[in-house]
Coordinates of all heavy atoms in Angstrom, one line a residue:
R2 N 87.8 62.6 145.8 CA 88.9 61.8 145.7 C 88.5 60.6 144.8 O 89.4 60.2 144.0 CB 89.5 61.5 147.0 CG 90.6 60.5 146.8 CD 91.4 60.4 148.1 NE 91.7 59.0 148.4 CZ 92.8 58.7 149.0 NH1 93.5 59.7 149.5 NH2 93.1 57.4 149.1
F3 N 87.4 60.0 145.0 CA 87.1 58.8 144.2 C 87.0 59.1 142.8 O 87.3 58.2 141.9 CB 85.8 58.2 144.7 CG 86.0 57.5 146.0 CD1 85.4 58.0 147.2 CD2 86.6 56.3 146.1 CE1 85.6 57.4 148.4 CE2 86.8 55.6 147.3 CZ 86.3 56.2 148.4
F4 N 86.6 60.2 142.3 CA 86.4 60.5 140.9 C 87.4 61.5 140.4 O 87.1 62.1 139.4 CB 84.9 61.0 140.7 CG 83.9 59.9 141.1 CD1 83.2 60.1 142.3 CD2 83.7 58.8 140.4 CE1 82.3 59.1 142.7 CE2 82.7 57.8 140.8 CZ 82.1 58.0 142.0
S5 N 88.5 61.7 141.1 CA 89.5 62.6 140.6 C 90.3 62.1 139.4 O 90.9 63.0 138.7 CB 90.4 62.9 141.8 OG 91.3 61.7 142.0
G6 N 90.2 60.8 139.1 CA 91.1 60.3 138.0 C 92.5 60.1 138.4 O 93.3 59.5 137.6
Q7 N 92.9 60.4 139.6 CA 94.3 60.2 140.1 C 94.3 58.8 140.7 O 93.4 58.4 141.4 CB 94.7 61.2 141.0 CG 94.8 62.6 140.4 CD 95.1 63.7 141.4 OE1 95.1 63.4 142.6 NE2 95.4 64.9 140.9
S8 N 95.4 58.1 140.5 CA 95.5 56.7 141.2 C 96.2 56.9 142.4 O 97.0 57.7 142.7 CB 96.4 55.8 140.2 OG 97.6 56.3 140.1
D9 N 95.7 56.0 143.3 CA 96.3 55.9 144.7 C 96.8 54.6 144.9 O 96.1 53.6 144.9 CB 95.1 56.2 145.8 CG 95.7 56.1 147.2 OD1 96.8 55.6 147.4 OD2 94.8 56.3 148.1
P10 N 98.1 54.4 145.0 CA 98.7 53.1 145.1 C 98.2 52.2 146.2 O 98.1 51.0 146.1 CB 100.2 53.3 145.3 CG 100.5 54.7 144.7 CD 99.2 55.4 145.0
K11 N 97.8 52.9 147.3 CA 97.2 52.0 148.5 C 95.9 51.5 148.1 O 95.5 50.5 148.8 CB 97.1 53.0 149.7 CG 98.5 53.4 150.2 CD 98.4 54.3 151.4 CE 99.7 54.8 151.9 NZ 99.7 55.8 152.8
S12 N 95.1 52.1 147.2 CA 93.8 51.6 146.9 C 93.9 50.4 145.8 O 92.8 49.8 145.5 CB 92.9 52.7 146.4 OG 93.3 53.1 145.1
R13 N 95.0 50.1 145.3 CA 95.1 49.1 144.3 C 94.8 47.7 144.9 O 95.3 47.4 146.0 CB 96.5 49.0 143.7 CG 96.9 50.2 142.8 CD 98.3 50.0 142.3 NE 98.4 48.7 141.5 CZ 98.5 48.7 140.2 NH1 98.8 49.9 139.5 NH2 98.4 47.6 139.5
I14 N 94.1 46.9 144.2 CA 93.9 45.5 144.5 C 95.1 44.7 144.2 O 95.7 44.0 145.0 CB 92.7 44.9 143.8 CG1 91.4 45.5 144.3 CG2 92.7 43.3 144.0 CD1 90.2 45.2 143.5
N15 N 95.6 44.9 143.0 CA 96.9 44.2 142.6 C 98.1 45.0 143.1 O 98.3 46.1 142.6 CB 96.9 44.0 141.1 CG 98.1 43.4 140.6 OD1 98.8 42.7 141.3 ND2 98.4 43.4 139.4
Q16 N 98.8 44.5 144.1 CA 100.1 45.1 144.6 C 101.3 44.7 144.0 O 102.3 45.4 144.0 CB 100.1 45.0 146.1 CG 99.0 45.6 146.8 CD 99.0 47.1 146.9 OE1 100.1 47.6 147.1 NE2 97.9 47.8 146.8
T17 N 101.3 43.5 143.4 CA 102.7 42.9 142.9 C 102.6 42.2 141.5 O 103.7 42.0 141.0 CB 103.1 41.9 144.0 OG1 102.2 40.9 144.1 CG2 103.4 42.5 145.3
I18 N 101.5 41.7 141.0 CA 101.5 40.9 139.9 C 101.5 41.6 138.6 O 100.6 42.4 138.3 CB 100.3 39.9 140.0 CG1 100.4 39.1 141.3 CG2 100.2 39.0 138.8 CD1 99.1 38.4 141.7
N19 N 102.6 41.4 137.8 CA 102.6 42.0 136.5 C 102.3 43.5 136.5 O 101.5 44.1 135.8 CB 101.8 41.3 135.4 CG 102.2 39.9 135.2 OD1 103.3 39.5 135.5 ND2 101.3 39.2 134.5
I20 N 102.9 44.2 137.6 CA 102.5 45.5 138.0 C 102.6 46.5 136.8 O 101.9 47.5 136.8 CB 103.2 45.9 139.2 CG1 102.4 46.9 140.1 CG2 104.6 46.4 139.0 CD1 101.3 46.3 140.8
D21 N 103.5 46.4 135.9 CA 103.7 47.3 134.9 C 102.8 47.1 133.7 O 102.7 47.8 132.7 CB 105.1 47.4 134.3 CG 106.1 47.8 135.4 OD1 105.7 48.7 136.2 OD2 107.2 47.3 135.5
S22 N 102.0 46.0 133.7 CA 101.1 45.7 132.6 C 99.7 46.6 132.7 O 99.3 46.7 133.8 CB 100.7 44.2 132.6 OG 99.8 43.9 131.6
P23 N 99.2 47.0 131.6 CA 98.0 47.7 131.7 C 96.8 47.0 132.1 O 95.9 47.5 132.8 CB 97.8 48.3 130.3 CG 98.7 47.5 129.5 CD 99.8 46.9 130.3
K24 N 96.9 45.7 132.0 CA 95.8 44.8 132.4 C 96.3 43.4 132.6 O 97.0 42.9 131.7 CB 94.7 44.8 131.4 CG 93.4 44.0 131.8 CD 92.4 43.9 130.7 CE 91.9 45.3 130.2 NZ 90.9 45.1 129.2
V25 N 96.0 42.7 133.8 CA 96.4 41.4 134.0 C 95.4 40.4 133.6 O 94.2 40.5 134.2 CB 96.9 41.1 135.4 CG1 97.4 39.7 135.6 CG2 98.0 42.1 135.9
V26 N 95.6 39.6 132.6 CA 94.6 38.7 132.1 C 95.2 37.3 132.0 O 96.4 37.1 131.5 CB 94.1 39.1 130.7 CG1 93.1 38.1 130.1 CG2 93.4 40.4 130.8
H27 N 94.5 36.2 132.4 CA 94.9 34.9 132.3 C 93.8 34.2 131.5 O 92.6 34.4 131.7 CB 95.2 34.2 133.5 CG 96.3 34.7 134.3 ND1 96.2 35.7 135.2 CD2 97.7 34.4 134.3 CE1 97.3 36.1 135.7 NE2 98.3 35.3 135.2
S28 N 94.2 33.2 130.6 CA 93.2 32.5 129.8 C 93.6 31.1 129.8 O 94.8 30.7 129.7 CB 93.3 33.0 128.3 OG 92.4 32.3 127.5
F29 N 92.7 30.2 130.0 CA 92.9 28.7 130.1 C 91.9 28.0 129.2 O 90.8 28.4 129.1 CB 92.8 28.2 131.6 CG 93.6 28.8 132.5 CD1 93.3 30.0 133.2 CD2 95.0 28.4 132.7 CE1 94.1 30.6 134.1 CE2 95.8 29.0 133.6 CZ 95.4 30.1 134.3
D30 N 92.4 26.8 128.7 CA 91.5 26.1 127.9 C 90.9 25.0 128.9 O 91.7 24.4 129.7 CB 92.2 25.3 126.9 CG 91.4 24.4 126.0 OD1 90.3 23.9 126.4 OD2 91.6 24.3 124.8
V31 N 89.6 24.9 129.1 CA 88.9 24.1 130.0 C 89.3 22.6 129.8 O 89.4 21.9 130.8 CB 87.4 24.2 130.0 CG1 86.9 23.7 128.7 CG2 86.7 23.7 131.1
E32 N 89.7 22.3 128.7 CA 90.1 20.9 128.4 C 91.5 20.5 129.1 O 91.8 19.4 129.3 CB 90.2 20.5 127.0 CG 88.9 20.7 126.3 CD 87.8 19.7 126.8 OE1 88.2 18.6 127.2 OE2 86.7 20.1 126.9
D33 N 92.3 21.6 129.5 CA 93.6 21.4 130.1 C 93.5 21.5 131.6 O 94.6 21.5 132.2 CB 94.6 22.4 129.5 CG 94.7 22.2 127.9 OD1 94.6 21.1 127.5 OD2 95.0 23.3 127.2
M34 N 92.4 21.8 132.2 CA 92.3 22.2 133.6 C 92.4 21.0 134.5 O 92.5 21.2 135.7 CB 91.1 22.9 133.9 CG 91.1 24.3 133.3 SD 89.7 25.4 133.4 CE 89.1 25.0 135.1
G35 N 92.2 19.8 134.1 CA 92.3 18.6 135.0 C 91.0 18.6 135.9 O 89.9 19.2 135.5
N36 N 90.9 17.8 136.9 CA 89.7 17.6 137.7 C 89.4 18.8 138.7 O 88.2 19.0 139.1 CB 89.8 16.3 138.4 CG 89.8 15.1 137.5 OD1 89.2 15.2 136.4 ND2 90.4 14.0 137.9
K37 N 90.4 19.5 139.1 CA 90.1 20.5 140.0 C 91.2 21.7 140.0 O 92.4 21.3 139.9 CB 90.2 19.9 141.5 CG 89.9 20.9 142.5 CD 89.8 20.2 143.9 CE 89.6 21.1 145.1 NZ 89.6 20.4 146.4
V38 N 90.7 22.8 139.9 CA 91.6 24.0 139.8 C 91.2 25.1 140.9 O 89.9 25.2 141.1 CB 91.6 24.6 138.4 CG1 92.7 25.8 138.4 CG2 91.9 23.6 137.4
I39 N 92.1 25.6 141.5 CA 91.8 26.6 142.7 C 92.4 27.9 142.3 O 93.7 28.1 142.2 CB 92.2 26.1 144.0 CG1 91.7 24.8 144.3 CG2 91.9 27.1 145.1 CD1 92.2 24.1 145.6
Y40 N 91.7 28.9 142.0 CA 92.2 30.3 141.5 C 92.1 31.3 142.7 O 91.2 31.3 143.4 CB 91.4 30.8 140.3 CG 91.5 29.9 139.0 CD1 90.5 29.1 138.6 CD2 92.7 30.1 138.3 CE1 90.7 28.4 137.4 CE2 92.9 29.4 137.1 CZ 91.8 28.5 136.6 OH 91.9 27.8 135.6
C41 N 93.2 32.1 142.7 CA 93.3 33.1 143.7 C 92.4 34.2 143.3 O 92.3 34.7 142.2 CB 94.7 33.6 143.6 SG 95.0 35.0 144.8
R42 N 91.7 34.8 144.3 CA 90.9 36.0 144.1 C 91.4 37.1 145.1 O 90.8 38.2 145.1 CB 89.5 35.7 144.5 CG 88.8 34.8 143.5 CD 87.3 34.7 143.6 NE 86.9 34.2 144.9 CZ 85.6 34.1 145.1 NH1 84.7 34.4 144.2 NH2 85.2 33.6 146.3
C43 N 92.4 36.9 145.8 CA 93.0 38.0 146.7 C 94.2 38.7 146.2 O 94.5 39.7 146.7 CB 93.3 37.3 148.1 SG 94.9 36.4 148.1
W44 N 94.8 38.2 145.1 CA 95.8 38.8 144.5 C 97.1 38.8 145.3 O 98.0 39.6 145.1 CB 95.6 40.2 143.9 CG 94.5 40.3 142.8 CD1 93.2 40.1 142.9 CD2 94.9 40.4 141.5 NE1 92.6 40.2 141.7 CE2 93.6 40.4 140.8 CE3 96.0 40.7 140.7 CZ2 93.5 40.5 139.4 CZ3 95.9 40.8 139.3 CH2 94.6 40.7 138.7
R45 N 97.1 37.9 146.3 CA 98.4 37.9 147.2 C 99.2 36.6 146.9 O 100.2 36.5 147.5 CB 97.9 37.9 148.6 CG 97.1 39.1 149.1 CD 97.9 40.4 148.8 NE 97.3 41.6 149.4 CZ 96.4 42.3 148.9 NH1 95.8 42.0 147.7 NH2 95.9 43.4 149.5
S46 N 98.6 35.7 146.1 CA 99.4 34.4 145.9 C 100.6 34.5 145.2 O 100.8 35.3 144.2 CB 98.4 33.5 145.1 OG 99.1 32.3 144.8
K47 N 101.6 33.8 145.6 CA 103.0 33.7 145.0 C 102.9 32.8 143.7 O 103.8 32.9 142.9 CB 104.0 33.2 145.9 CG 104.3 33.9 147.1 CD 105.3 35.1 147.0 CE 105.7 35.7 148.2 NZ 104.6 36.6 148.7
K48 N 101.7 32.1 143.6 CA 101.5 31.2 142.4 C 100.4 31.7 141.5 O 99.8 31.0 140.8 CB 101.2 29.8 142.9 CG 102.3 29.2 143.6 CD 102.1 27.8 144.3 CE 100.8 27.2 143.9 NZ 100.6 25.9 144.6
F49 N 100.1 33.0 141.7 CA 99.0 33.6 140.9 C 99.0 33.2 139.5 O 100.1 33.3 138.8 CB 99.0 35.1 140.9 CG 97.8 35.8 140.6 CD1 96.7 36.0 141.5 CD2 97.5 36.2 139.3 CE1 95.5 36.6 141.2 CE2 96.4 36.9 139.0 CZ 95.4 37.1 139.9
P50 N 98.0 32.9 138.8 CA 96.6 33.0 139.2 C 96.0 31.8 140.1 O 94.8 31.9 140.4 CB 95.9 33.0 137.9 CG 96.5 32.1 137.1 CD 98.0 32.3 137.4
Y51 N 96.9 31.0 140.6 CA 96.5 29.9 141.4 C 96.6 30.3 142.9 O 97.5 30.9 143.3 CB 97.3 28.6 141.1 CG 97.2 28.2 139.7 CD1 98.3 28.4 138.9 CD2 96.1 27.6 139.2 CE1 98.2 28.0 137.5 CE2 96.0 27.2 137.8 CZ 97.1 27.5 137.1 OH 97.0 27.1 135.7
C52 N 95.7 29.8 143.7 CA 95.7 30.0 145.2 C 96.9 29.3 145.9 O 97.1 28.1 145.5 CB 94.3 29.6 145.8 SG 94.3 29.7 147.6
D53 N 97.5 30.0 146.7 CA 98.6 29.2 147.5 C 98.4 29.3 148.9 O 99.2 29.1 149.8 CB 100.0 29.8 147.2 CG 100.3 31.1 147.7 OD1 99.3 31.9 148.2 OD2 101.4 31.6 147.6
G54 N 97.1 29.8 149.3 CA 96.8 29.9 150.8 C 97.0 31.2 151.4 O 96.7 31.6 152.5
S55 N 97.6 32.2 150.6 CA 98.0 33.5 151.1 C 96.8 34.3 151.5 O 97.0 35.3 152.3 CB 98.8 34.4 150.1 OG 100.0 33.7 149.7
H56 N 95.5 34.0 151.1 CA 94.3 34.7 151.4 C 94.2 34.6 153.0 O 93.6 35.5 153.5 CB 93.2 34.2 150.7 CG 92.9 32.7 150.9 ND1 93.4 31.7 150.1 CD2 92.2 32.1 151.9 CE1 93.0 30.6 150.5 NE2 92.3 30.7 151.6
G57 N 94.6 33.5 153.6 CA 94.4 33.3 155.0 C 95.3 34.4 155.8 O 94.7 35.1 156.8
K58 N 96.4 34.7 155.5 CA 97.3 35.7 156.0 C 96.6 37.1 155.8 O 96.6 38.0 156.8 CB 98.7 35.8 155.5 CG 99.6 36.7 156.1 CD 101.1 36.5 155.5 CE 102.0 37.4 156.2 NZ 102.4 38.6 155.4
H59 N 96.2 37.4 154.6 CA 95.6 38.6 154.2 C 94.3 38.8 155.1 O 94.1 39.9 155.6 CB 95.2 38.7 152.7 CG 94.2 39.7 152.4 ND1 94.6 41.1 152.2 CD2 92.9 39.7 152.2 CE1 93.6 41.8 152.0 NE2 92.5 41.0 152.0
N60 N 93.5 37.8 155.2 CA 92.3 38.0 156.0 C 92.6 38.2 157.4 O 91.8 39.0 158.1 CB 91.5 36.6 155.8 CG 90.8 36.6 154.5 OD1 90.7 37.5 153.7 ND2 90.3 35.3 154.1
K61 N 93.5 37.6 157.9 CA 93.9 37.7 159.3 C 94.3 39.1 159.6 O 94.1 39.8 160.6 CB 95.0 36.7 159.8 CG 95.2 36.6 161.3 CD 96.1 35.4 161.5 CE 96.4 35.3 163.0 NZ 97.2 34.1 163.4
E62 N 95.2 39.6 158.7 CA 95.8 40.9 158.8 C 94.8 42.1 158.7 O 94.8 43.2 159.3 CB 96.9 41.2 157.9 CG 98.1 40.4 158.3 CD 99.3 40.4 157.3 OE1 99.1 41.1 156.2 OE2 100.3 39.9 157.5
T63 N 93.7 41.9 157.9 CA 92.9 43.0 157.4 C 91.4 42.8 157.9 O 90.6 43.8 157.9 CB 92.9 43.1 155.9 OG1 92.3 41.9 155.4 CG2 94.2 43.3 155.3
G64 N 91.2 41.6 158.4 CA 89.7 41.4 158.7 C 88.8 41.0 157.6 O 87.6 41.0 157.7
D65 N 89.5 40.9 156.4 CA 88.7 40.6 155.1 C 88.2 39.2 155.2 O 88.6 38.4 156.1 CB 89.7 40.8 154.0 CG 89.0 41.3 152.7 OD1 87.8 41.1 152.6 OD2 89.6 42.0 151.8
N66 N 87.4 38.7 154.2 CA 87.0 37.4 154.2 C 87.1 36.8 152.8 O 86.2 35.9 152.3 CB 85.5 37.4 154.6 CG 84.6 38.1 153.7 OD1 85.1 38.8 152.8 ND2 83.4 37.9 153.9
I67 N 88.2 37.1 152.1 CA 88.4 36.6 150.7 C 88.8 35.2 150.7 O 89.7 34.7 151.5 CB 89.5 37.5 150.0 CG1 89.0 38.9 150.0 CG2 89.8 36.9 148.7 CD1 90.0 39.9 149.4
G68 N 88.3 34.4 149.7 CA 88.7 33.0 149.5 C 88.9 32.8 148.0 O 88.5 33.6 147.2
P69 N 89.3 31.6 147.6 CA 89.5 31.3 146.3 C 88.4 30.9 145.5 O 87.3 30.7 146.1 CB 90.5 30.1 146.4 CG 90.1 29.4 147.6 CD 89.8 30.5 148.6
L70 N 88.5 30.9 144.2 CA 87.5 30.3 143.4 C 87.9 28.9 143.0 O 89.1 28.5 142.5 CB 87.3 31.1 142.0 CG 86.6 30.5 140.9 CD1 85.1 30.3 141.3 CD2 86.8 31.2 139.6
I71 N 87.1 27.8 143.3 CA 87.4 26.4 143.2 C 86.5 25.9 142.0 O 85.3 26.0 142.1 CB 87.1 25.6 144.4 CG1 88.1 26.2 145.6 CG2 87.5 24.2 144.2 CD1 87.7 25.5 146.9
I72 N 87.1 25.4 141.0 CA 86.4 24.9 139.9 C 86.8 23.3 139.8 O 87.8 22.9 139.8 CB 86.8 25.5 138.6 CG1 86.4 26.9 138.6 CG2 86.1 24.8 137.4 CD1 86.9 27.7 137.5
T73 N 85.7 22.4 139.9 CA 85.9 21.0 139.7 C 85.0 20.5 138.6 O 84.0 21.1 138.3 CB 85.4 20.3 141.0 OG1 84.1 20.6 141.3 CG2 86.2 20.8 142.2
K74 N 85.5 19.4 138.0 CA 84.7 18.8 137.0 C 83.7 17.9 137.7 O 84.0 17.2 138.7 CB 85.7 17.9 136.1 CG 86.3 18.7 135.0 CD 87.0 17.7 134.1 CE 87.7 18.6 133.0 NZ 88.6 17.7 132.1
R75 N 82.5 17.9 137.2 CA 81.5 17.0 137.7 C 81.9 15.5 137.5 O 82.6 15.2 136.5 CB 80.2 17.2 136.9 CG 79.0 16.6 137.5 CD 77.7 16.9 136.8 NE 77.5 18.4 136.9 CZ 76.7 19.1 136.0 NH1 76.1 18.5 135.1 NH2 76.7 20.4 136.3
N76 N 81.6 14.7 138.5 CA 81.9 13.4 138.5 C 83.5 13.1 138.5 O 83.9 12.0 138.1 CB 81.4 12.5 137.3 CG 79.8 12.7 137.3 OD1 79.2 12.6 138.4 ND2 79.3 12.8 136.1
A77 N 84.2 14.0 139.0 CA 85.7 13.8 139.0 C 86.1 13.2 140.3 O 85.4 13.1 141.3 CB 86.4 15.2 139.0
Ligands
LIG9 FE1 94.6 34.4 146.9 FE2 94.0 32.0 148.0 S1 96.0 32.9 147.8 S2 92.7 33.4 147.2

């Protein structure tokens, strides 16, 4: 089944975000990011690509341990 080439909707990481797009990509200029940015890595955020804390509910429901990517400027 893993190499059948058929997609299984339940195995998708992305369940809701730009679901009809062939690839979801976000691009940012580092100069526009401010002192701290928190990006979602669970794909459950309503503010994707930014984290809104939804990973906590996902982790509680699934036993997963996903958290965000936090980027800060040095000396910020
Ligand atoms: Fe997805 Fe926080 S909401 S990592």
Side-chain angles (χ1 to χ4, degrees):
R2 174 169 141 146
F3 284 108
F4 301 103
S5 69
Q7 297 176 348
S8 63
D9 177 357
K11 291 178 185 168
S12 68
R13 290 184 60 114
I14 292 171
N15 179 14
Q16 297 285 325
T17 59
I18 299 161
N19 297 342
I20 209 75
D21 294 327
S22 176
K24 185 187 299 181
V25 179
V26 177
H27 294 89
S28 178
F29 301 94
D30 187 324
V31 70
E32 298 300 325
D33 297 332
M34 288 177 40
N36 292 330
K37 182 177 181 182
V38 184
I39 306 174
Y40 290 107
C41 175
R42 293 194 297 183
C43 75
W44 291 78
R45 303 301 191 272
S46 175
K47 301 270 189 292
K48 296 175 11 183
F49 196 88
Y51 303 104
C52 174
D53 71 353
S55 295
H56 58 269
K58 181 174 182 254
H59 166 77
N60 288 345
K61 191 171 184 178
E62 291 175 351
T63 64
D65 213 336
N66 63 350
I67 297 172
L70 169 65
I71 302 172
I72 299 175
T73 57
K74 278 190 180 168
R75 190 175 299 161
N76 301 324

